[in-house]
Amino acid sequence: MRAEQPATLKPPQEQGAAPAATAVAHPNIALIKYWGKRDEQLFLPRTDSLSMTLDIFPTTTRVRLAPEAEQDAVTLGGRPATGEAERRIVAFLDLVRERAGLSRRAVVDTENTVPTGAGLASSASGFAALAVAAAAAYGLTLDATALSRLARRGSGSASRSLFGDFAVWHAGTATGTATEADLSSYAEPVPAAGLDPALVIAVVNAGPKAISSRAAMRQTVDTSPLYEPWARSSTGDLADMRAALIRGDLEAVGEIAERNALGMHATMLAARPAVRYLSPATLTVLDSVGQLRRDGIAAYATMDAGPNVKVLCRRADADQVAAVVRGAAPQGSVHIAGPGPGARLLNEGG
Ligand code: 2P0
């Protein structure tokens, strides 16, 4: 296990030059899902969640303060950000500015390496990289825990991408002041022993989502009679998952992850109106995962707010699993990921 953590950030030391910082972060896939907020303003979740950070598809973000500018200038992949994407990034910068006691605008340039249209969310890696880069550029000295809290305010799942390998995001306390609640909800590394896992990612449909995960989780919490039972069972799943990770029991990790994900999708199917992300191609891949198990390969599926399937298996089996999944979804693309590093600051110019 790598015990990689971002270093404590120091205020920028540039003399004369506008402070700038660049950070890189990787996506994560939840094995115990985050689905439902109890506070939309502070991004406080209903339940704890737990994920594996990937070693593929990093996001690199540079934040440079622009003393003369009247507005933030944000590019994604070299193109100006617009609409909701721009609004969320500017709102996040406002939060950082408020903490830093600075009003200066910024130039933000973000490069995602997820293949275009791969249908994989980049908000986790995106807001983790933005949190690290913006905190450094605005001179906030934050440790990894505080950075995970900050990243949470951009996108809940981003809190987990601060850390490498496996991370848990605590829902935090449901009582007390807003400040106490905010402080109580952060991510931290989770110990795991002897696992050599891979996630085989089957992209079965690269199209845009019919409904955003943010809207879908709200609709589920508000209307699904299955939501509370799933949230309760997720607490038990998390405890079981921690124990399985410490034992290095890949079969148990996979079984728990699969049941937690299927339960989350059941809550959505019972929402009014129903939210259904799973497509016929998703089910075909799930059938192939079941067949792999019957053939003696430890392979377990998890799905997020979309039709794509991520298959947890041993690293040694990943090529075989990828071949079977590719056969089940020949119209899609398949990627193999291992456990990846936490978010980190890059040296400017180095
Ligand atoms: C997760 N997902 O745990 C879950 C499982 C999707 C399904 O985190 O509203 O983009 O920005 O906090 O983090 C997707 O939700 O939502 C997500 P916001 P986010 O990975």
Side-chain angles (χ1 to χ4, degrees):
M1 281 291 291
R2 212 183 2 251
E4 196 159 343
Q5 291 190 20
T8 300
L9 302 176
K10 299 276 189 310
Q13 301 299 322
E14 283 98 331
Q15 289 284 327
T22 302
V24 61
H26 289 74
N28 70 75
I29 300 296
L31 303 178
I32 302 293
K33 302 298 187 186
Y34 151 50
W35 196 250
K37 295 182 183 68
R38 65 175 202 277
D39 185 322
E40 299 220 344
Q41 205 66 35
L42 293 174
F43 288 75
L44 297 172
R46 293 282 185 127
T47 58
D48 296 346
S49 57
L50 186 152
S51 59
M52 184 176 112
T53 301
L54 307 185
D55 61 356
I56 59 174
F57 304 151
T59 297
T60 304
T61 296
R62 182 166 193 265
V63 176
R64 179 173 62 80
L65 302 200
E68 315 303 329
E70 290 181 1
Q71 289 188 327
D72 296 311
V74 181
T75 66
L76 298 171
R79 298 203 180 139
T82 57
E84 182 68 3
E86 183 189 25
R87 193 197 60 72
R88 284 176 64 178
I89 291 169
V90 171
F92 188 82
L93 293 170
D94 286 340
L95 181 65
V96 174
R97 280 189 278 262
E98 188 189 315
R99 300 247 175 116
L102 294 172
S103 59
R104 278 188 278 171
R105 304 289 117 180
V107 176
V108 177
D109 297 305
T110 289
E111 296 290 339
N112 281 314
T113 56
V114 181
T116 308
L120 295 170
S122 53
S123 70
S125 55
F127 279 101
L130 181 63
V132 173
Y138 279 96
L140 292 176
T141 304
L142 301 177
D143 64 15
T145 307
L147 284 167
S148 78
R149 272 190 212 106
L150 179 62
R152 191 196 82 219
R153 301 287 294 275
S155 193
S157 53
S159 63
R160 301 185 306 238
S161 276
L162 261 294
F163 300 97
D165 297 322
F166 297 95
V168 63
W169 169 25
H170 300 288
T173 56
T175 54
T177 64
T179 304
E180 284 165 348
D182 175 52
L183 286 173
S184 69
S185 184
Y186 57 89
E188 64 180 345
V190 170
L195 280 179
D196 194 11
L199 275 171
V200 175
I201 299 171
V203 178
V204 301
N205 185 336
K209 292 175 189 176
I211 175 170
S212 74
S213 55
R214 193 165 290 185
M217 68 172 83
R218 185 185 304 134
Q219 188 165 313
T220 306
V221 171
D222 289 348
T223 71
S224 175
L226 298 191
Y227 182 74
E228 290 300 339
W230 173 78
R232 273 197 300 279
S233 70
S234 201
T235 305
D237 286 348
L238 187 100
D240 292 348
M241 178 64 80
R242 280 178 175 277
L245 286 170
I246 287 173
R247 288 200 310 277
D249 184 344
L250 185 115
E251 280 84 355
V253 169
E255 278 173 18
I256 299 160
E258 192 171 290
R259 77 186 184 212
N260 189 266
L262 289 170
M264 177 187 73
H265 284 278
T267 69
M268 296 183 216
L269 291 170
R272 297 163 192 183
V275 175
R276 182 172 64 85
Y277 286 117
L278 311 182
S279 71
T282 311
L283 300 183
T284 304
V285 174
L286 288 182
D287 282 347
S288 77
V289 172
Q291 187 60 47
L292 276 163
R293 285 211 289 269
R294 285 191 291 280
D295 292 342
I297 306 288
Y300 303 88
T302 185
M303 293 79 66
D304 295 297
N308 304 319
V309 185
K310 295 91 180 184
V311 185
L312 182 79
C313 63
R314 291 195 169 81
R315 173 84 77 161
D317 294 331
D319 287 338
Q320 187 182 348
V321 170
V324 168
V325 164
R326 206 173 275 122
Q331 75 285 15
S333 63
V334 175
H335 313 266
I336 298 176
R344 69 183 195 281
L345 208 50
L346 302 180
N347 287 332
E348 281 285 315

